[in-house]
Amino acid sequence: MSVRIIVGECARAMRRLPDASVDAIVTDPPYGLSREPDMAEVLRCWLAGEPYRHKSRGFMSQHWDSFVPGPEVWREALRVLKPGGHLLSFFGTRTYDLGVLAIRLAGFEIRDQVLWLYGNGFAKALDVSRAIDETLGAERTEVVGKYQPPGMDKPWNLRHARDERDVGVFASSRYQLDITAPATEQARQWDGWFTALKPAVEPIVLARKPLCGTVAENVLRFGTGALNIEACRIETNDDLNGGAYTKQGNRQVSPSLHPGSGMNQPGKTADRPFVQPSGRWPANVCHDGSEEVLSAFPDAPGQIARARTDGADVGNAVYAPMRHVTKSPDPRGDKGSAARFFYSPKATQQERHAGLTDRRNLHPTVKPLGLMRWLVRLLTPPGGTILDPYAGSGSTGVAAEQEGFDSILIELKPEYADLARARIAGESPLFNQVTIESLDGEAA
């Protein structure tokens, strides 16, 4: 296994890489959570093949997060991917459409959307009532309660806090803020109104470089073009009807249950065994197992909808009337709400700082390693190479190392690139000699 870290702007760094040299791309790029862009100007630039330069700052006032990557970045990513290679890229809900449009314009095929659900997001919203008081120059003085904001254990974060409830502020759990009553009648009319919902999902686009020939031909030639479903199945002990699971591990199934299978034709075997797979087929939903996420899914048997053999509409279908000609004598036996989906808790403090002996990982958007390992395993063939053009503190590289893949990491900020090197080296002594390449001095 090998790890290569390049420090510099990602499009320039990818030009160092040969054509069709990586098997998969897994990345968490800038979300562009800043001022709304002039979409006419964005489209004019992108359709003309020019980069769009956004003037506002993004997440936590960072210039690097001012806008999503444009097609010029994803064209380089497309070039270095092998035909049929997959791309998984996180985006924010507000700018997912822009990020995916740029990927489409670069030449990728959009295959799916994966949802990462979590319960510990915090609302970043404007308190309209308070804003009205501030606009009218009215000072709030009546304290009606205390508010303990969610957030980190760093007292220095209190410098961002105000004297009253500030939705989305970070503060130590040892501190509480005042909740103050509206000072004007206009503010009282809009008390309780804010400008955003609490975030609980991050969409991940699944894209693929166009194939060379059929899927089978592409896989045989390049080793890419398909997903490793078997290695990413969701463990369960449930008995799912229809052959996916049985308590005995296999079952003889009558052809009358599958009239369209051809098994009841002359010369066909009357019965055949179902072999129990290692787990459920992975879905395009992942979650952190929090109570808030689990409560959003009804704890009901999997396939409540039933079908009649006469082809009539079924009145108790879950989402809409269903018309089937096959017989489904029993609903699936699986249960457990979000247990059907891939589970990985959010990155803990211990996980964020694992492998670091002389520093702390202060990167603002660290993804959980369990999730990253599942994603790289889904896309990458044995012995393959993963590229992350927005490496941050190196979670993709750590996940690749733990799964046995080579990785190429590109990061703009030298301090984060060094952090990634230290995290990966801390995972395995074999990586203590990882070197960091720099684009400093190279022509743009």
Side-chain angles (χ1 to χ4, degrees):
M1 293 179 291
S2 66
V3 179
R4 181 182 180 188
I5 303 176
I6 306 174
V7 182
E9 192 273 325
C10 62
R12 288 177 56 203
M14 282 189 283
R15 294 184 195 127
R16 287 189 171 192
L17 307 179
D19 294 353
S21 57
V22 301
D23 298 274
I25 298 177
V26 178
T27 192
D28 185 20
Y31 289 1
L33 302 179
S34 60
R35 183 177 301 173
E36 188 73 12
D38 180 346
M39 281 307 302
E41 179 63 14
V42 173
L43 292 176
R44 185 198 67 77
C45 291
W46 284 1
L47 293 176
E50 303 170 1
Y52 169 76
R53 305 298 183 191
H54 199 53
K55 297 180 175 60
S56 298
R57 294 186 178 186
F59 179 65
M60 297 179 67
S61 298
Q62 299 293 325
H63 285 292
W64 54 263
D65 190 53
S66 65
F67 204 59
V68 297
E72 69 278 2
V73 172
W74 301 118
R75 277 193 288 269
E76 282 298 314
L78 186 79
R79 180 187 63 80
V80 302
L81 257 182
K82 295 178 182 178
H86 283 89
L87 159 71
L88 274 170
S89 179
F90 289 80
F91 283 111
T93 53
R94 281 171 44 194
T95 53
Y96 179 84
D97 60 328
L98 292 170
V100 174
L101 177 60
I103 291 173
R104 286 187 186 275
L105 290 173
F108 279 93
E109 303 169 349
I110 304 303
R111 302 290 297 172
D112 206 340
Q113 180 189 76
V114 181
L115 296 179
W116 163 233
L117 308 180
Y118 49 87
N120 65 346
F122 60 93
K124 298 172 280 291
L126 174 72
D127 185 333
V128 176
S129 174
R130 189 176 67 193
I132 290 174
D133 274 342
E134 292 177 350
T135 299
L136 297 176
E139 182 180 357
R140 296 188 171 199
T141 57
E142 181 186 356
V143 177
V144 296
K146 293 290 185 178
Y147 170 63
Q148 183 172 296
M152 299 181 293
D153 56 355
K154 294 294 183 182
W156 54 263
N157 285 302
L158 286 174
R159 70 172 182 261
H160 299 296
R162 305 181 183 183
D163 292 333
E164 53 207 274
R165 178 173 56 188
D166 188 1
V167 176
V169 74
F170 286 118
S172 168
S173 60
R174 294 175 295 174
Y175 295 89
Q176 290 186 331
L177 305 178
D178 291 337
I179 300 175
T180 54
T184 64
E185 179 60 32
Q186 295 94 321
R188 278 189 286 273
Q189 293 175 5
W190 295 99
D191 191 27
W193 290 72
F194 295 85
T195 57
L197 301 170
K198 186 179 78 68
V201 61
E202 288 184 34
I204 311 169
V205 63
L206 174 62
R208 187 175 69 182
K209 183 173 179 176
L211 302 165
C212 282
T214 65
V215 171
E217 291 168 343
N218 197 100
V219 169
L220 289 173
R221 182 177 177 185
F222 299 102
T224 52
L227 302 175
N228 193 351
I229 298 297
E230 191 62 30
C232 296
R233 288 182 179 270
I234 313 304
E235 293 184 4
T236 182
N237 294 321
D238 289 337
D239 176 23
L240 303 185
N241 193 23
Y245 275 86
T246 65
K247 294 177 181 178
Q248 295 79 21
N250 62 72
R251 175 171 49 192
Q252 297 295 319
V253 176
S254 169
S256 63
L257 297 181
H258 300 274
S261 66
M263 293 172 57
N264 55 350
Q265 301 299 316
K268 299 291 184 178
T269 304
D271 295 324
R272 67 180 178 86
F274 278 119
V275 178
Q276 179 169 308
S278 58
R280 289 192 181 94
W281 195 284
N284 56 0
V285 173
C286 312
H287 70 97
D288 70 346
S290 62
E291 182 178 351
E292 186 168 350
V293 170
L294 295 176
S295 64
F297 292 88
D299 191 9
Q303 187 173 310
I304 299 177
R306 302 282 293 276
R308 296 181 182 176
T309 57
D310 60 2
D313 290 341
V314 181
N316 65 340
V318 177
Y319 299 109
M322 298 173 61
R323 186 182 296 274
H324 289 288
V325 295
T326 59
K327 180 181 178 183
S328 178
D330 298 300
R332 289 205 311 260
D334 58 324
K335 54 186 179 299
S337 184
R340 296 174 179 82
F341 309 124
F342 176 75
Y343 157 76
S344 173
K346 275 208 146 187
T348 63
Q349 291 295 313
Q350 181 179 3
E351 183 176 285
R352 291 173 66 99
H353 309 308
L356 305 177
T357 58
D358 59 347
R359 73 194 85 180
R360 293 175 65 82
N361 184 356
L362 299 180
H363 194 280
T365 59
V366 178
K367 292 295 187 291
L369 289 179
L371 174 64
M372 300 307 293
R373 291 183 64 175
W374 190 75
L375 294 176
V376 301
R377 190 165 67 246
L378 181 67
L379 302 190
T380 316
T385 299
I386 301 164
L387 168 66
D388 185 349
Y390 295 95
S393 62
S395 295
T396 301
V398 176
E401 187 276 330
Q402 293 180 351
E403 291 296 322
F405 301 122
D406 294 339
S407 63
I408 301 172
L409 310 180
I410 301 173
E411 172 51 41
L412 180 64
K413 290 180 162 293
E415 59 269 31
Y416 287 149
D418 188 58
L419 191 63
R421 182 205 61 77
R423 289 182 71 197
I424 297 169
E427 285 294 316
S428 171
L430 298 176
F431 291 97
N432 284 328
Q433 303 303 316
V434 171
T435 58
I436 298 180
E437 308 170 27
S438 176
L439 298 183
D440 289 347
E442 289 190 2

